[in-house]
Every structure is written in C-alpha cells, then in structure tokens.
C-alpha cells in the first residue's frame, strides 16, 4: 500500500468525484490555476477545465450564493473557503439559505453543497487564519459538520460529503495537511459515526480534527502514570454519534473533551452535557474539558500556550477524582 498526505487524499477525493459525476463542480478563490493556497485542488483545473474547477472573485458571500443557485439547478457544487475566518462573510448565505432550503421547500429542494473550510491553528498563522469556527456551524440546524483527522477519512469523508444530498460543512485541519499515512482510496465509516482510535480502561478522551494526534500522544505518555486512556475520534459533530461516545465513556467511567476552539459555548460544552445526561450513573468524576482559551487567536509565538497540549490533557486526567 502506498502512502499519502492528508492534502493528497483530499485532492484524490475531489478528482475522483469530478471524474465520476459530471454534476460536481469546484469553485473558490485560487482553486483553478494555482490549485488552492494549500494545493488541495492542484491539477484539477488542468484535467477538468475551468468550467468544472472555477476561480472566483474574492467575495465569499458571492461564492456561496452562486453555489446555492447551482445546487437549485441540479448541480453538486464543492466550495472552498480559503481560510476559516474568510468564511464569515458567507455566514448569512449559509444560515439563511443553505441550512434552511430543504425545510423551506418541504423537502422538495435539498442543497447538495459541500463547503470546504481549512481551520484551526498550529501553522504559525495570525488571526483570520487560525480560527476554530465549528461551534457556529454545529449550532445551525440543517447542516452536517464533519472534520477528518486521518488520511483515510480525508478521502472517505469528503467523498461522502460530496455524495450527500444535504449541505455539509467540511472542516479541514490545516496543521494535518502534511501528515502522512498508508492510503488506498476507499469508503470509511459514514457521516454521523465516531471511531475509537485507541482502546483503554482508565478514562476516555473525546476529540476531533487537529486535536486527535495530540490526544493519541497524550495517551501514550499517560502510560508512565499508570493510566490506560481510550481515544475517540468524533469525526462528525452533526449528526453526533451518542452511541459510540456513551459506550466508550461508560466503559471507563471518566471522560475529558479536547478541542482547539475556545471553551465557552464551544462544542465541548455540548458534548459534556450529552455525556452527563446519558452516562451520569456510570461516571466516577465530572466530565472535564481541555480547550483553547477564551481569547482571540494569539500571535504565532504564543499559540503553543493556547492550543491543547499533552501536559494540559494529562493535568485534566489527573483531576478526574482517582481517589477511592
């Protein structure tokens, strides 16, 4: 089996989707000739032409509004928002039209749009280039929100998103674009399912996207303290896989939610609430969170303090009331 980076897996997924379905079109800033700032669409305009892989003006609301019209006329557009915070000008289109069109038309007009958004920190970017904006989208009914953390999921989840008849916000962890693993294009667990990446018996780390490798590293380091940690990759924030998450938490009786986004009002708060409601009698300690701080994203030389790391995760595990 050959190896590939997450970026290469995403590029392969887009190429295969364009090849197999003439209704699939890609549009966004610099996705054509340049191949995207992260080269995720590299070579696609040359192979499929500028009508299938289209450069747009720097106008995110216009890009997504155009995609809405394309989807209403039967196409299957894939939009690239160049950076996480660049997507905010398109938020009105996303919330008012993309998310609501199926319900507004009594199911007669679904919008099969995939909105790809590079997100998260860890690359030395500044504000507008390092946001973790998943809570805005996960809080909006009518959207699916997914984020791959592995090379295999980069391909499989993106193919599933493009094939979906409902709009999918596809959040790509920028710092994992160059992560590498064995790769063979193949289906993966569907949207709406979490995956247990590491089995353990002491406590369960619940995480997604850029924080998955950090949690796996923390789980290895925890062995020195005598802790055997499970790690659950959520993959899909909406729909949310309560079944897998609750089974993993009930098996250990302790849980920590880890994500880069700010803690207040974040996805981790919703996850902690759901676990507490469904697993209360199985818990030996309150569910804890390790998140980014409640501040605007810091400058590059300080982001290592802001992003959850191994030490902060192990500190949270240590606070899970181990005394009997």
């Amino acid at each position: 089996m050959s190896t590939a980076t997450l970026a290469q897996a995403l590029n392969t997924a887009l190429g295969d989707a364009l090849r197999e379905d003439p209704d699939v079109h890609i549009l966004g800033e610099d996705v054509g000739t340049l191949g995207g700032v992260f080269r995720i669409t590299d070579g696609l305009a040359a192979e499929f032409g500028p009508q299938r892989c289209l450069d747009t003006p720097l106008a995110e609301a216009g890009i997504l509004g155009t995609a809405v019209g394309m989807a209403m006329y039967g196409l299957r557009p894939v939009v690239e928002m160049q950076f996480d915070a660049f997507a905010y000008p398109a938020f009105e289109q996303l919330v008012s039209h993309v998310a609501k069109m199926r319900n507004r038309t009594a199911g007669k007009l679904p919008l099969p749009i995939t909105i790809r958004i590079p997100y998260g920190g860890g690359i030395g970017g500044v504000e507008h280039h390092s946001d973790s904006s998943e809570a805005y989208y996960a809080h909006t009914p009518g959207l699916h929100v997914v984020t791959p953390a592995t090379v295999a999921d980069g391909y499989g989840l993106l193919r599933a998103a493009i094939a979906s008849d409902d709009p999918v916000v596809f959040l790509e962890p920028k710092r994992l674009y160059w992560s590498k693993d064995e790769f063979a294009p193949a289906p993966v667990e569907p949207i709406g399912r979490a995956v247990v990446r590491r089995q353990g018996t002491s406590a369960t780390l619940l995480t997604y996207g850029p924080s998955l490798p950090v949690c796996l590293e923390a789980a290895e380091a925890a062995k020195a303290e005598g802790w055997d940690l499970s790690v659950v990759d959520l993959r899909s924030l909406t729909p949310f896989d309560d079944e897998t998450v609750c089974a993993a938490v009930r098996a250990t009786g302790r849980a920590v939610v880890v994500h880069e986004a700010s803690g207040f009002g974040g996805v981790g708060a919703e996850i902690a609430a759901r676990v507490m409601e469904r697993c209360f009698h199985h818990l030996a300690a309150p569910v804890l969170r390790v998140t980014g701080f409640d501040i605007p994203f810091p400058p590059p030389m300080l982001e290592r303090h802001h992003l959850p790391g191994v030490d902060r995760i192990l500190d949270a595990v240590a606070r899970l009331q181990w005394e009997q």
Side-chain angles (χ1 to χ4, degrees), residues 182-215:
E182 293 183 342
F183 174 60
V188 294
E189 288 290 316
I191 292 173
R193 298 298 295 183
V195 172
V196 179
R197 300 293 185 192
R198 187 183 191 281
Q199 294 280 1
T201 58
S202 304
T204 302
L205 304 181
L206 304 170
T207 191
Y208 55 87
S211 295
L212 177 65
V214 183
C215 285

Side-chain angles (χ1 to χ4, degrees), residues 23-322:
D23 289 335
V24 174
H25 290 65
I26 297 172
L27 65 160
E29 298 159 1
D30 294 324
V31 300
T33 304
L34 181 65
V37 293
F38 295 104
R39 303 299 186 267
I40 305 303
T41 56
D42 189 34
L44 299 180
E47 180 176 355
F48 298 98
Q51 297 300 314
R52 302 283 307 280
C53 189
L54 173 67
D55 277 326
T56 66
L58 305 181
E60 290 79 8
I63 297 169
L64 192 51
T66 300
V68 170
M70 294 168 68
M72 291 174 72
Y73 277 88
L75 299 178
R76 198 168 283 273
V78 180
V79 168
E80 177 179 305
M81 295 292 168
Q82 200 166 72
F83 282 94
D84 31 61
F86 291 10
Y88 299 154
F91 197 64
E92 193 276 335
Q93 288 287 337
L94 188 67
V95 173
S96 296
H97 303 297
V98 175
K100 293 182 171 66
M101 192 64 73
R102 178 188 279 276
N103 187 64
R104 183 181 297 157
T105 61
K108 296 177 181 176
L109 197 57
L111 294 182
I113 303 174
T114 301
I115 303 111
R116 297 180 39 246
I117 304 176
Y119 85 115
I123 63 166
V126 294
E127 67 168 18
H128 283 82
H129 296 73
S130 301
D131 279 17
S132 294
S133 46
E134 60 268 31
Y136 303 134
Y137 309 121
H139 188 64
T140 303
L143 300 177
H144 292 175
V145 183
V146 303
T147 176
T150 67
V151 171
D153 267 357
Y155 180 87
L157 275 179
L158 184 52
R159 292 300 307 272
I162 296 171
S164 172
D165 287 334
D166 288 308
V168 179
V169 176
F170 192 88
L171 297 166
E172 301 171 1
K174 290 192 291 290
R175 71 156 114 169
L176 300 186
Y177 273 148
W178 302 279
S179 61
K180 185 176 287 188
D181 201 354
E182 293 183 342
F183 174 60
V188 294
E189 288 290 316
I191 292 173
R193 298 298 295 183
V195 172
V196 179
R197 300 293 185 192
R198 187 183 191 281
Q199 294 280 1
T201 58
S202 304
T204 302
L205 304 181
L206 304 170
T207 191
Y208 55 87
S211 295
L212 177 65
V214 183
C215 285
L216 291 171
E217 183 182 353
E220 288 302 309
K223 291 192 292 188
E225 303 293 333
W227 297 316
D228 181 19
L229 303 182
S230 285
V231 178
V232 178
D233 178 5
L234 299 173
R235 303 170 72 249
S236 175
L237 302 182
T238 55
F240 189 79
D241 186 0
D242 287 303
E243 179 182 4
T244 299
V245 168
C246 290
V249 173
R250 287 168 183 161
T252 63
R254 294 176 171 85
V256 178
V257 186
V258 182
H259 62 59
E260 285 191 10
S262 300
F264 188 86
V267 169
E270 173 64 22
I271 296 170
R274 297 177 83 88
V275 171
M276 292 288 282
E277 290 168 356
R278 291 163 174 78
C279 306
F280 182 78
H281 293 291
H282 298 267
L283 291 174
V287 179
L288 299 182
R289 289 175 289 159
V290 179
T291 71
F293 300 123
D294 295 327
I295 58 172
F297 200 86
M301 70 286 289
L302 297 176
E303 70 173 349
R304 69 182 187 279
H305 302 294
H306 176 72
L307 300 174
V310 170
D311 288 346
R312 287 176 62 196
I313 294 170
L314 294 183
D315 179 67
V317 173
R319 291 187 285 116
L320 288 174
Q321 299 184 6
W322 297 97

